Amino acid sequence: MKARNRVLVTGGAGFLGSHLCDRLIQEGNDVICVDNLFTGSKDNIRHLLGNPYFEFIRHDVTEPLYVEVDQIYNLACPASPPHYQHDPIKTAKTSIYGAVNMLGLAKRVGARILQASTSEVYGDPEVHPQPESYRGCVNPIGLRSCYDEGKRMAETFFFDYHRRHQVDIKIMRIFNTYGPRMDPSDGRVVSNFIVQALKNEDITVYGDGMQTRSFCYVDDLIEGMVRMMESRDGFTGPVNIGNPGEFTMLSLAEKVIELTQSGSKIIFKPLPSDDPMQRRPVIELAKKELDWEPTIELEEGLTRTIRYFEELLGIIK
Ligand code: NAD
Ligand code: UDP
């Protein structure tokens, strides 16, 4: 029988983290979920709490942590713009001190460590679509900088711990991901549009809605994340994980209205500052190294997510 890996997931009570914990438990690992519950919730992991191979620790990653583990997935960090801009100094500290603390732990116990980085390291990109070699166009002093620069600095620490201390690192750059367990009030576009449509409220498109994003369904993302952790020795990344299907926010709003059969109408609101105009991953590296590519089309993923929000909001159809 395969030995049980002891796996630490920081940010494990969040949207992506809780799906990752599910997957790791299903595969027979011994999982420690660490979270300060800033944007995550015990509801996301409630079904795991009685499992003897699952342990929840309420802890802030800006403080050191001493546990014995074989693998670390570092996901702790608020991810939606309203949440990460709520306390920008704390966001940067979470990214940077969190990375340093987890890298120190990885170094001490000899664990492999994966960083949940982001397409935001490319900023408002001038190169389109974005390959991993693109160095980005990030405003260092804007409202998104706490997150973008925090994540960039975390990547720097990962590589310096790797070069200086031979820490076994894996970096993935996650592009916009959506699915069940998104927080309905965290302000991200997919959850906002679906909740607004289900409540027959106005759909708030920012700017003229011509900015684009590429949306990856959560199951595809988690598959890519686990494959990255299990990838060959010496492959550090960074690797893009995302769905190359690219949509304008206006077309997303129209698609959500169609799928929910909502009576909502689209209204336009000011574009937030530094909002990237376009985003699409090049995923050739993930295909080659991880034999990974997304399998769930936007319409299918949205349908599953709509079903989740209908249940959450108690909407009977
Ligand atoms: P989320 O907000 O649902 O999850 C983040 C989790 O981290 C939450 O449970 C939160 O309580 C926890 N957390 C925040 N600060 C913490 C701290 N100081 N100590 C301990 N726990 C803390 O967001 P998510 O979408 O699940 O994102 C998870 C990770 O993936 C983040 O690092 C994010 O930057 C990255 N990412 C996500 C996306 C996406 O589209 N979902 C895209 C790019 C990158
Ligand atoms: N957006 C929008 N209406 C909303 C929420 C977001 O038009 O109610 C836009 C936002 O301006 C951005 C895109 O949708 O252009 C994606 O926003 P999100 O916050 O989900 O992610 P990010 O900007 O970090 O990619």
Side-chain angles (χ1 to χ4, degrees):
M1 205 182 96
K2 190 176 156 237
R4 237 177 244 285
N5 269 325
R6 298 162 303 173
V7 188
L8 170 63
V9 179
T10 76
F15 162 48
L16 296 181
S18 61
H19 284 278
L20 177 63
C21 288
D22 283 347
R23 168 73 183 259
L24 294 170
I25 285 289
Q26 273 161 24
E27 288 184 350
N29 296 289
D30 190 342
V31 176
I32 301 175
C33 164
V34 161
D35 204 296
N36 71 350
L37 301 181
F38 171 49
T39 54
S41 162
K42 276 192 188 169
D43 288 337
N44 289 337
I45 50 166
R46 191 179 10 201
H47 56 288
L48 295 173
L49 289 174
N51 187 315
Y53 294 104
F54 181 81
E55 210 174 325
F56 172 67
I57 304 175
R58 191 188 295 232
H59 172 83
D60 192 311
V61 294
T62 59
E63 300 293 333
L65 178 72
Y66 297 93
V67 287
E68 307 304 313
V69 289
D70 307 301
Q71 296 180 343
I72 303 168
Y73 288 86
N74 187 37
L75 275 66
C77 187
S80 90
H83 279 158
Y84 71 64
Q85 288 168 21
H86 168 75
D87 186 348
I89 296 169
K90 176 72 188 194
T91 298
K93 284 182 178 171
T94 294
S95 259
I96 296 169
Y97 298 168
V100 172
N101 286 328
M102 290 309 123
L103 285 161
L105 174 63
K107 176 176 167 238
R108 183 175 68 81
V109 301
R112 177 172 278 196
I113 180 167
L114 179 147
Q115 168 69 356
S117 190
T118 167
S119 53
E120 285 286 318
V121 301
Y122 302 124
D124 190 2
E126 295 146 319
V127 169
H128 191 72
Q130 295 81 51
E132 290 84 354
S133 56
Y134 177 50
R135 292 182 186 178
C137 176
V138 175
N139 176 359
I141 56 169
L143 295 179
R144 296 174 84 103
S145 317
C146 58
Y147 183 74
D148 299 9
E149 299 288 18
K151 289 285 188 178
R152 285 168 70 97
M153 193 65 216
E155 288 198 11
T156 305
F157 272 114
F158 266 68
F159 269 89
D160 283 329
Y161 268 77
H162 176 62
R163 283 186 288 251
R164 279 291 164 118
H165 301 299
Q166 294 73 52
V167 172
D168 186 3
I169 62 160
K170 305 278 173 190
I171 296 181
M172 61 187 283
R173 293 183 177 152
I174 303 171
F175 283 64
N176 296 62
T177 302
Y178 68 101
R181 297 196 199 138
M182 290 185 91
D183 174 348
S185 60
D186 84 358
R188 284 188 266 196
V189 69
V190 173
S191 43
N192 264 14
F193 285 1
I194 292 178
V195 170
Q196 288 164 344
L198 290 176
K199 291 181 169 174
N200 283 312
E201 292 171 355
D202 291 342
I203 308 253
T204 54
V205 169
Y206 301 159
D208 62 5
M210 286 299 118
Q211 70 274 34
T212 67
R213 294 292 186 273
S214 301
F215 296 104
C216 185
Y217 188 68
V218 61
D219 292 359
D220 281 335
L221 190 284
I222 297 299
E223 181 65 37
M225 190 178 272
V226 171
R227 285 188 191 210
M228 184 56 180
M229 179 60 98
E230 303 300 339
S231 63
R232 68 176 170 83
D233 286 350
F235 179 61
T236 57
V239 64
N240 288 339
I241 300 286
N243 191 321
E246 184 182 2
F247 301 87
T248 65
M249 294 311 98
L250 193 56
S251 66
L252 177 71
E254 285 161 354
K255 179 62 68 197
V256 168
I257 289 175
E258 179 198 320
L259 293 175
T260 52
Q261 296 172 323
S262 169
S264 293
K265 63 178 196 322
I266 293 172
I267 59 163
F268 294 90
K269 295 225 165 172
L271 190 68
S273 74
D274 290 334
D275 200 285
M277 282 314 293
Q278 50 184 3
R279 193 182 279 158
R280 172 154 58 101
V282 173
I283 59 165
E284 297 316 306
L285 186 62
K287 282 185 187 165
K288 176 172 162 270
E289 284 288 345
L290 312 178
D291 192 22
W292 177 89
E293 62 183 314
T295 58
I296 298 163
E297 297 294 339
L298 184 66
E299 186 156 327
E300 169 63 22
L302 284 178
T303 304
R304 293 188 199 178
T305 311
I306 290 166
R307 226 174 285 139
Y308 166 79
F309 279 112
E310 280 173 348
E311 229 167 85
L312 190 76
L313 301 173
I315 292 169
I316 303 152
K317 286 231 155 163

